[in-house]
Amino acid sequence: EITFQIGSGEVVGFLGPNGAGKTTTLKMLSGLLYPTNGQVRVLGYEPSRRRKDYLRLITLVMGNRNQLAWDLPALDSFDLQRAIYGIPEAQYRRTRDEFIDMLELKDLVTKPVRNLSLGERMKMEIVAALLHKPRILFLDEPTIGLDVTMQRRIRLFIAEYNRKYHATVLLTSHYMADVEALCRRVIVIHHGKLLFDGALSQLVD
């Protein structure tokens, strides 16, 4: 019982208590789950069909999951992403170095991931997830468990990525600071039902 549309370049907060259905919705939008009824369309694609052309256009970042190889430097995992997505070498290096600079990771990318703090690791996860320059970002609690400084750094990066690449962002977070900093519009769900869809200022009222 959830219906919404999101326009190109929008950054939308997707809110609700634990168990409301936020992560389930993001998994359906990214094609990890098949909807039991209704229709899901993203960029004209049906996500559950998992077409390669579609998967190249999106990314899903989950704050409580990791895709980096634990015992290897993040640089090695970045290179694996380059191979998976078939990113041309020159473009890959340009994008990788740009993101490393933006997130201030230069001295950390050669360390084994297991030796990084939670915040440092999360920044690496975000770089890995965006190396193919997706047009749609599904972000599920990307700042969970991080200190306020690290949260702010990640928020600034997401805002800059949205501005520079006109990416569309659907963000879940229990930290209202994330939502206030990034989102003009919010969608609130509860028990799988839509409660609110409108401007953040209206939600506060």
Side-chain angles (χ1 to χ4, degrees):
E1 297 181 60
I2 298 173
T3 298
F4 60 82
Q5 290 184 322
I6 294 176
S8 177
E10 273 196 279
V11 182
V12 179
F14 194 45
L15 310 180
N18 289 330
K22 301 184 302 296
T23 299
T24 300
T25 303
L26 290 190
K27 285 182 175 180
M28 283 192 286
L29 289 167
S30 56
L32 292 176
L33 290 179
Y34 191 90
T36 46
N37 54 52
Q39 261 196 340
V40 181
R41 289 262 173 205
V42 185
L43 296 171
Y45 292 91
E46 201 174 326
S48 58
R49 299 185 73 176
R50 305 283 293 167
R51 291 184 180 276
K52 285 183 182 178
D53 288 349
Y54 176 62
L55 299 179
R56 287 178 183 278
L57 298 172
I58 68 161
T59 197
L60 170 65
V61 176
M62 305 181 78
N64 56 357
R65 298 279 187 277
N66 60 68
Q67 63 176 336
L68 301 174
W70 194 247
D71 294 314
L72 299 175
L75 273 180
D76 290 5
S77 290
F78 296 167
D79 206 42
L80 177 61
Q81 291 295 96
R82 180 198 61 75
I84 288 170
Y85 285 98
I87 307 167
E89 186 73 34
Q91 177 188 321
Y92 160 72
R93 289 182 182 277
R94 207 164 42 244
T95 305
R96 179 198 67 189
D97 294 348
E98 175 193 349
F99 290 172
I100 287 171
D101 285 344
M102 287 170 70
L103 284 167
E104 300 168 355
L105 295 172
K106 201 163 192 175
D107 299 328
L108 300 171
V109 289
T110 54
K111 288 185 179 181
V113 169
R114 68 172 183 273
N115 292 342
L116 302 176
S117 71
L118 176 62
E120 290 165 348
R121 199 167 75 239
M122 195 61 225
K123 289 198 287 187
M124 299 292 188
E125 293 281 355
I126 288 172
V127 171
L130 300 182
L131 283 169
H132 62 294
K133 291 187 179 174
R135 286 174 53 191
I136 309 268
L137 279 55
F138 300 120
L139 305 180
D140 192 19
E141 302 277 1
T143 61
I144 192 167
L146 307 186
D147 64 48
V148 290
T149 305
M150 206 63 83
Q151 287 176 19
R152 182 172 180 274
R153 182 70 256 165
I154 287 174
R155 285 198 297 267
L156 288 170
F157 177 80
I158 293 167
E160 179 64 11
Y161 186 90
N162 163 256
R163 185 195 66 77
K164 190 167 185 178
Y165 298 108
H166 199 65
T168 305
V169 181
L170 187 59
L171 166 78
T172 80
S173 182
H174 286 295
Y175 301 123
M176 281 307 291
D178 289 350
V179 178
E180 288 168 358
L182 291 167
C183 309
R184 291 183 181 176
R185 174 185 169 197
V186 292
I187 294 170
V188 183
I189 65 169
H190 187 48
H191 291 312
K193 294 185 178 181
L194 191 73
L195 288 187
F196 178 86
D197 181 356
L200 178 61
S201 56
Q202 288 178 301
L203 178 66
V204 173
D205 291 341

